[in-house]
Amino acid sequence: MEKITNRAGEKVPLTQVFQALDRRLARRPIVWETFRIRVCGRLLELCFEDRDMRDAAMRSVQSHVVQEAGTPDAVFFYWYGVSTEILPEEMTQRPGVWESRDDTGLLKVSEAQMYGVDTVRRHFYFTRQKPDTVDYAVYGHTLVGLVSRWASESDLILLHAAAVGAGGKGVLVVGRGGSGKSTFSVSCMTEGMDFVSDDYTLISASGSLRAMPIYTTVAVNPDMYARLPSLGEPSVPPDAEWCNGKLQFFIPGERFAPELEIGAVVMPVIGPDDGEPAIRPIAPGAAMVQMLHTSAIQVSRNRDAALVRQMAQRLSGLPVYEMRMSRDLKKNPAALRRFIEKEL
């Protein structure tokens, strides 16, 4: 862990480094394009280098966008550039990847990008070299790494998991790409169940275990789209490069449950035929390892042992179930609803 020092060799709190970073940014020709969202009861402000970046980010959280005045809980800054342009010269001579952390913040730097967290002022920074093609960090999942950092400072945890339920009670749905997680959770929404997310979910880090939404988009594979007609027309041209082969839909805010009390973890398994769905308890190991692994990687914190431990401790004790899915998308939500009403 690197120590940040001034030219006299004295240790400098990271919050002072970020204040100096702000002054350097102010000298650059950036007119921040901003908008605000309300998530988990907190007001957040997101700032982008240009309007196209801002508009792209707004699409994925549009049902949370607000015009509220007042001091936000946190401010996020996202721009293209390299750390050598905004960090003091003595900090840019370090080779490779390095990280500094103290009671006032976190700074992680590589040749390609920089994360910064000023915990005193609650400013969150992300810069990277401009990609040649699509910036997936803006399109689809806005600043997911920084949202995870904010969650860690806000008694929340960001998981790569879906969350659905009934009557205020729910389950986390976990699985790797292609497991049916997104299709299953979206079909639960279209069948009128409580819906939080089909992909990323915020959970409470203390107290009762609750799941809350952040993104207001859903994505389904083209072959599933014809079986979910109530989704209507895709919100984004199907050939848009950033969609990564999936169809994107912007969902009205009223279709999201503000929170669900989580009582179990469910792993969907695609069945071989059109039989009835079946839910059975399984040992928690495989499901938990899969969820922790994918969550850490998806939020760009795959080497953050403290985060993985926090996730594991928070989810410890939750019963885990395997759900063998029917090819009939209406049967699966009905089976899960019965399970929740009976078991949770």
Side-chain angles (χ1 to χ4, degrees):
M1 194 74 65
E2 296 278 350
K3 293 182 179 180
I4 305 301
T5 58
N6 59 21
R7 294 184 183 277
E10 301 165 329
K11 186 176 179 181
V12 178
L14 278 171
T15 187
Q16 291 186 17
V17 174
F18 291 120
Q19 290 173 38
L21 183 151
D22 285 350
R23 292 191 292 271
R24 285 173 173 260
L25 285 176
R27 294 197 293 267
R28 297 186 65 198
I30 296 179
V31 178
W32 294 106
E33 297 285 346
T34 70
F35 67 94
R36 290 182 167 195
I37 60 175
R38 180 162 284 278
V39 173
C40 300
R42 297 172 174 88
L43 184 65
L44 307 178
E45 185 168 307
L46 288 78
C47 308
F48 297 88
E49 182 180 40
D50 60 50
R51 184 168 298 177
D52 288 343
M53 293 169 66
R54 181 202 64 185
D55 292 347
M58 284 182 70
R59 293 188 186 103
S60 61
V61 292
Q62 64 176 14
S63 293
H64 294 317
V65 175
V66 296
Q67 301 294 326
E68 296 181 30
T71 303
D73 179 73
V75 181
F76 298 80
F77 297 92
Y78 185 103
W79 74 99
Y80 292 134
V82 292
S83 59
T84 53
E85 296 176 353
I86 45 86
L87 291 174
E89 182 180 354
E90 62 269 21
M91 296 173 60
T92 62
Q93 304 304 313
R94 297 171 169 84
V97 177
W98 60 272
E99 181 176 335
S100 181
R101 185 193 303 264
D102 63 21
D103 292 340
T104 71
L106 165 72
L107 180 61
K108 187 172 183 179
V109 179
S110 71
E111 294 181 0
Q113 65 184 33
M114 183 201 79
Y115 279 105
V117 180
D118 182 345
T119 57
V120 175
R121 297 181 303 155
R122 296 186 67 76
H123 283 187
F124 295 76
Y125 304 86
F126 180 59
T127 182
R128 60 180 295 193
Q129 296 175 337
K130 190 171 185 178
D132 293 331
T133 54
V134 175
D135 188 351
Y136 292 101
V138 175
Y139 289 90
H141 296 299
T142 312
L143 301 176
V144 67
L146 285 184
V147 170
S148 176
R149 299 285 183 185
W150 166 75
S152 297
E153 301 293 333
S154 307
D155 200 37
L156 298 164
I157 301 171
L158 182 64
L159 293 178
H160 184 224
V164 293
K169 299 179 180 179
V171 300
L172 295 174
V173 183
V174 305
R176 293 191 175 92
S179 66
K181 169 174 60 72
S182 291
T183 299
F184 174 45
S185 54
V186 172
S187 68
C188 287
M189 178 189 70
T190 61
E191 290 300 306
M193 295 183 67
D194 295 338
F195 177 78
V196 164
S197 171
D198 73 324
D199 203 11
Y200 289 99
T201 299
L202 285 163
I203 63 169
S204 55
S206 62
S208 61
L209 185 57
R210 295 167 291 119
M212 294 152 282
I214 181 167
Y215 298 110
T216 54
T217 61
V218 300
V220 297
N221 290 319
D223 60 337
M224 291 290 107
Y225 173 47
R227 301 164 65 184
L228 296 166
S230 64
L231 283 176
E233 291 297 316
S235 305
V236 177
D239 59 350
E241 186 179 0
W242 66 267
C243 291
N244 206 20
K246 292 189 175 183
L247 300 176
Q248 302 280 330
F249 300 86
F250 304 144
I251 307 300
E254 61 269 16
R255 298 188 72 173
F256 288 85
E259 65 178 41
L260 285 175
E261 180 182 345
I262 297 300
V265 172
V266 170
M267 288 186 67
V269 176
I270 299 175
D273 51 37
D274 289 328
E276 295 298 315
I279 302 175
R280 67 180 184 90
I282 60 173
M288 290 301 182
V289 168
Q290 186 176 109
M291 179 162 54
L292 298 181
H293 177 69
T294 60
S295 292
I297 289 177
Q298 291 285 337
V299 301
S300 303
R301 297 174 65 179
N302 54 307
R303 296 184 181 181
D304 192 333
L307 174 67
V308 173
R309 284 195 300 271
Q310 183 190 31
M311 290 177 179
Q313 291 169 359
R314 185 58 174 146
L315 300 174
S316 175
L318 274 184
V320 178
Y321 298 84
E322 178 186 88
M323 181 170 181
R324 186 161 294 276
M325 313 288 283
S326 169
R327 301 274 177 177
D328 184 339
L329 297 187
K330 289 183 175 293
K331 290 183 177 181
N332 299 321
L336 182 63
R337 185 190 294 272
R338 290 193 297 270
F339 168 79
I340 290 172
E341 292 173 345
K342 181 180 179 180
E343 301 294 335
L344 303 185

